[in-house]
Amino acid sequence: MTTENAPGQQDPHAQREADKYDNPIPSREFIIEALEEAQKPLRLYQVAKALEVDEDDEERYEAMSRRLKAMVRDGQLIRNRRGAFGLLEKMDLIKGRVLGHPDGYGFLVPEEAGKDLFLSEKEMQKVLHGDIIIASVVGEDRRGRKEGAVVEIVEHNTQQVLGRLNHENGLSWVRPNNNRLTQDIFIPKDGLLEADEEQVVLVEILHQPTTRSGPIGKIIEVVGDYMAAGMEIESAIHAYGIPNEWSEELLAELAEIPDEVTEAEMEGRKDLRSMQLVTIDGADTKDFDDAVFAKRRKNGWRLVVAIADVSHYVKPGTELDKEAIKRGNSVYFPQRVVPMLPSKLSDGLCSLNPHVDRLCMVADLAITEDGKLERSQYYEAVMNSKARLTYNQVNDILTNKKSEYREEFSDQLTNLEDLYELYQVLQKAREERGALEFNTTETRIVFDDDRKIKEIVPVTRNDAHKLIEECMLMANVATARYLKWHKIPIVYRVHEKPLEERLKNVRTFLGDFSLTLEGGDEPTAHDYAAVMAKVAGEPHEHLVQTVMLRSMNQAVYHPDNKGHFGLNYEHYTHFTSPIRRYPDLLVHRAIQHAWKKTGAEGFAYDEAKMAELGQHCSDTERRADEATRDAVTFLKCEFLSHRLGEEYDAVVTAATNFGLFVELEPLYVEGLVHITELGEDYFHYDNARHCLKGERTGKVYRLGDRIRVQVAQVKLDDRKVDLRFISGGSTELNADEATQDDSSIDENDASIEAGDEQKRPRKKRYYRKGKKPAAKGQESS
């Protein structure tokens, strides 16, 4: 078909278009290629001519016109004032997502790689946080950042807002709870519902902001009082756009699924109902997505990891699948979960509850005496969990010969003891491999009867936690290797090596302690672990591990197998939690396709689709982290608001060019000591050494320093705690060591995954202090 060809070129996606349309037109990709080759904007007739679409063929010509307009609408092209279509990058235009800041300005985060574009407060009046826009670079601000101007709004992503209602002089408006939305929403009289001043209401935006006017909306629900129990979670759900309702279509589809596993569903599956498989989870866990069994063999172990077979119930293209994609993962707030799947599945059919038949996907692994994976086998099975055990019960059984639980769970003792012996071997292999291990304090919030924080207590990880973690890690590694060998596209869990600039800063910092990070430009996790071994037990151990952790990248989902730096694995993916993570469900589907032995042929997902889903799931994971952190931060601020004037010992968790973040002891709550509180001196921030140094006095405040502070002010709306400096800290750097650097703190959400495979929601094992969104945003997005 000549119309599929441009001169000398073939549309690479012609077949795809032909499969979709009776009278196909050039693909979007081919249109972009034609514009790149033309090296100038083209009008409709010029694009059509270049791609050999005849103007006399009215149907195809009109379809071509609609496609070009759709590409403009989606931000792939821009149409200039002459009506010509051009490429964004050729016009010095950038497409991306708006990231608002509580102080009114914002940033454009580019879709493609590149630095964020600063948006002034004036430009932010035209858009809302989360909008997809096209912007032009108009210059640099006084700090040398590229500054942008809004050219076009591609997509408005804020349709509903939760906020507090205000009345004054006959006018009404709503102030959003999300402090990244800095524009009040005007409510006309016909958009009001009966609500009191300062009550929290849900607003539907009728008119988005423009150059001339702010957003206008109507109240669709009165949610409740601002300080009501649970309101911080409702605010976070709306602020971060977390889906939390099931559609009628989905519920109808769910009703068709039997309430119990049927005989027909078990047919053809391996029967493991007599095996001593058990679940080991937290005491308050409701959904059990994995069960384990181990048996000592002559030359090693057999490890059986049985995972709930979510793929049996959630088929591609169904309403359940569409909603699971949209959510990406379950979101775990304090005392509330927004699940990825409805409770009929997450707490029922897909939960490996004790003494009931359940469908599962099994990784049957052979492990050598030295903890290496020898071979793996995957199959569908039916199982019946023999016990629902908690971490504390198992730990007591394994470490206390007089434990009361040894008699209660006597049938599981052999299995548990074999699992424990295997864990010790896997732990040794982990140490030899050089996987990173960060010893940080996790906490748990204890609520009173009014759902206010009663106390925040440290949580101790025991050997049972680590046992399950090692089993899940082994299953994930085996799965990645298995699917890599079958050449099937999947989303790997990728944790890339640290960036060159961060390595340079880490080495500068370590030099102050006469420490060296080996490995040159390509250090391994083993090199990192070697440094940690040298400082074990030293007073600065915690400081060193914090700085090293912050030098790392964030783990993401991606179809390119780039390995996992922190765990020091060449192949790694997520297989063990399909109830709460969509990538795991994709991996289960890939395993099922692998049994057909056709490679990637016929698989429902190609690499491009996996890349798209991987990016989306990485985004929803970050969204969940930010939303839960927002809710917890509000609770902690409310907790401290009743303690104004009280003094506490504190430890510095982050230094920035505007002050010190510190954690109060023994509350495990964080606040800011502003730089002006540190004394009559000019303090300069040293990015490499993570400290503030006084120009005149030479006083230095750095990570790990202990100081005394007083709670001065709590700003609930901004999630900020301001502290007054009283005494302490002030170490010294050698004169030839100190440098001055006004660059901003760049703390990482370095997902080492060390605790990720414990399945239950909890604070991750790595250190995450000092990352307050508002404070960080003062310097970067």
Side-chain angles (χ1 to χ4, degrees), residues 54 114 368 431 477 645 649 677 772:
D54 194 340
T368 64
E431 293 169 359
V477 170
D649 290 327
E677 284 284 334
K772 285 183 175 286

Side-chain angles (χ1 to χ4, degrees), residues 29 157 237 240 305 335 438 522 550 613 625 630 689:
E29 295 89 344
N157 280 320
I237 286 172
Y240 294 92
V305 179
Q335 293 190 330
F438 291 98
E522 300 281 342
R550 288 177 180 169
L613 289 169
D625 285 344
D630 183 87
R689 293 181 171 85

Side-chain angles (χ1 to χ4, degrees), residues 462-617:
N462 57 44
D463 281 355
H465 290 90
K466 299 173 185 177
L467 181 157
I468 289 298
E469 178 184 301
E470 289 299 330
C471 291
M472 299 304 112
L473 290 174
M474 182 59 75
N476 285 337
V477 170
T479 303
R481 282 177 44 176
Y482 178 79
L483 293 172
K484 183 74 174 176
W485 186 84
H486 279 279
K487 298 181 179 179
I488 296 175
I490 63 168
V491 282
Y492 293 92
R493 185 62 169 175
V494 174
H495 185 228
E496 294 192 71
K497 67 180 182 66
L499 299 175
E500 182 179 346
E501 182 179 350
R502 289 174 181 165
L503 286 174
K504 180 181 177 181
N505 286 343
V506 164
R507 289 191 165 109
T508 300
F509 171 82
L510 292 176
D512 293 348
F513 297 94
S514 300
L515 296 169
T516 303
L517 175 64
E518 301 293 342
D521 294 336
E522 300 281 342
T524 65
H526 206 286
D527 296 319
Y528 267 64
V531 174
M532 292 308 304
K534 290 179 183 177
V535 297
E538 297 292 330
H540 52 277
E541 176 185 7
H542 187 65
L543 168 62
V544 171
Q545 77 165 12
T546 300
V547 172
M548 295 188 74
L549 180 59
R550 288 177 180 169
S551 73
M552 294 184 216
N553 292 312
Q554 184 176 16
V556 296
Y557 295 107
H558 201 279
D560 292 341
N561 180 31
K562 300 179 182 179
H564 199 293
F565 177 84
L567 293 172
N568 209 5
Y569 284 134
E570 183 180 358
H571 313 287
Y572 191 70
T573 191
H574 277 169
F575 160 76
T576 56
S577 297
I579 291 177
R580 65 183 182 94
R581 291 188 308 224
Y582 194 78
D584 302 53
L585 178 54
L586 290 173
V587 167
H588 280 227
R589 290 171 180 166
I591 292 170
Q592 291 168 331
H593 182 77
W595 297 334
K596 299 177 182 178
K597 302 187 184 302
T598 59
E601 184 182 346
F603 189 39
Y605 310 91
D606 57 15
E607 285 219 5
K609 187 62 177 177
M610 282 295 183
E612 177 187 332
L613 289 169
Q615 180 62 57
H616 171 71
C617 291

Side-chain angles (χ1 to χ4, degrees), residues 11 16-17 49 55 60 81 87 90 115 150 208 217 231 248 321 336 345 396 422 455 551 627 651-652 719 723:
D11 186 344
R16 182 191 69 195
E17 298 297 318
K49 183 178 180 180
E55 288 187 57
R60 296 190 73 241
R81 294 179 181 180
L87 301 169
K90 297 292 186 180
K115 290 188 176 180
V150 178
Q208 296 285 340
M231 191 58 69
E248 292 297 327
D321 187 53
R336 179 176 171 185
L345 298 180
D396 197 41
L422 172 59
E455 59 180 334
S551 73
V651 61
V652 177
R719 278 48 168 184
L723 303 170

Side-chain angles (χ1 to χ4, degrees), residues 336-392:
R336 179 176 171 185
V337 178
V338 179
M340 186 178 80
L341 300 172
S343 60
K344 180 175 180 177
L345 298 180
S346 61
D347 299 343
L349 288 166
C350 293
S351 182
L352 306 182
N353 300 325
H355 313 302
V356 292
D357 293 344
R358 288 289 183 258
L359 306 181
C360 59
M361 177 80 77
V362 173
D364 201 332
L365 313 176
I367 300 172
T368 64
E369 290 280 0
D370 57 353
K372 301 292 192 300
L373 178 65
E374 186 175 18
R375 61 180 180 274
S376 60
Q377 182 183 6
Y378 292 84
Y379 49 83
E380 293 174 327
V382 56
M383 62 162 287
N384 190 298
S385 173
K386 301 307 175 192
R388 180 269 195 266
L389 297 163
T390 69
Y391 292 123
N392 290 340

Side-chain angles (χ1 to χ4, degrees), residues 334-335 443-447 452-457 459 631-633 635-636:
Q335 293 190 330
T443 60
R444 178 173 61 88
I445 294 175
V446 179
F447 291 95
K452 301 296 183 183
I453 295 181
K454 181 179 179 182
E455 59 180 334
I456 302 171
V457 297
V459 175
V632 169
T633 301
L635 286 168
K636 288 183 175 181

